[in-house]
Amino acid sequence: MNNLLIRGAQVVSPTGISRADVRVENGTIVTVAAGLVPEPGEEILEATGLHLFPGVIDPQVHFREPGNTHKEDLESGSRAAASGGVTSFLEMPNTNPPGTTAEMIRAKYALASTKCHVDFGFFIGATPDNLEELNSCPEACGIKVFMGSSTGTLLVSERPDLERIFGNGRKLIAVHAEDDAMIKANKDRLGDTATLQDHPYIRSPEAALKATTLAVELSKKYNRRLHILHCTTEEEADFLRREKIEGLISAEVCPQHFLLIAPEIYDKLGTYAQMNPPLREARHGKALWKALVDGVIDCTATDHAPHTREEKDKGYPLAPAGMPGVETLFPLMLDRALNGYCTLPDLARWMCEAPARLYGMVGKGAVKPGYDADFTLVDLQAERTIRNGHLQTRVNWSPYDGCTLKGEVKKTIVRGKVVYENGVVVAEGRGWGLPLKFDPAWERA
Ligand code: DOR
């Protein structure tokens, strides 16, 4: 079944680019070498002139199922992923009801297996009192802790509760690091006078740094694997540069936090630019980009958080926070590379190798024998314009509407099967996606 020979592509890895053929048997890469001779019955994919990346991984998305499927569901979200070259995603538990029990997370895996186009993993959500559940869900890719409240009801803001979660168990903890009390105090101070332009000061850099500092302290105290989701401030980048311990603590950044810059972006997009943690001024964006380039920040993600136009049009402060992004992640980063900000191998490291390594995903993140045949095949010569109304996400809008980007995803391949090509997600019956496997040995003792 599905034996494939990809011929003549420029294969991109974190260490370089080289022209090679890639042989795939039963969804697994078996050989990467120049000049492979086709075998009988093998499907041939001519890729001369194209670049072949390991499948891109988005380690932070919100696909809204159960409870808010008018915004997105696992099918539409994974379709958006496939169309953006994303072959695996990790999904967040702030659904309705929130995913806070092992049983709910298992049900989500079972549901995803019936309709996802790409491979998937799910976080379990922490509450002040579900420690037992957190520690009885080996399937989850990690524990999500909202230290500051955002969309949904999940929140663990008190230190004793955080101590208990960090101090018991081994699974990776991924934190939304914003200090809830500081946010509340800022909100109360401004009261009814607050406008959208105040959003990044209500959810202030100090609030982000305070929560990140506490999470790092607890990670070190309990030797507990910590991932800081969507860093947004220069202060956090500086702090992590000093304090991060490789192998114990990792961090991510979303492209919108260095591409969409306040205050102008709020004038341009209104509440469509509202998200948590917020879009901020240029100094933060510059520091975050530098931290990514320097390896202080390990990987990219989107925090794909779709809300409908009707919901966004409610105005500040009623509009919900969040913006879609899973299908524009790789195109935006490719454009950035093709404009000279970074290299193509950097993309393979930040978007493929690093997320796979940080979460202990088995068989993901590299074009090497023994790995899953997940690929993002791109044409560097093409261009693509992002347009509202022409997207796969159910909400069908993007903060990048009208942007023309260099490079284009031509095919997305998951375990040897083309799931997206030339603008179309190739759906057949039940989805092709499978649960990601996580290496238990990678969890820290
Ligand atoms: O802006 C955000 N939206 N930040 C989050 O943390 C949650 C997300 C959502 O789910 O809407």
Side-chain angles (χ1 to χ4, degrees), residues 62 64 94 146 150-151 176 230 274-277 303 305 307 321-322:
H62 302 264
R64 308 297 191 206
N94 58 333
F146 280 91
S150 190
T151 305
H176 177 125
H230 45 38
Q274 184 188 341
M275 69 168 293
N276 305 328
D303 192 11
H307 297 287

Side-chain angles (χ1 to χ4, degrees), residues 13-31:
S13 78
T15 52
I17 304 175
S18 58
R19 191 172 170 174
D21 301 335
V22 180
R23 170 158 286 134
V24 174
E25 283 177 19
N26 298 321
T28 303
I29 300 168
V30 290
T31 318

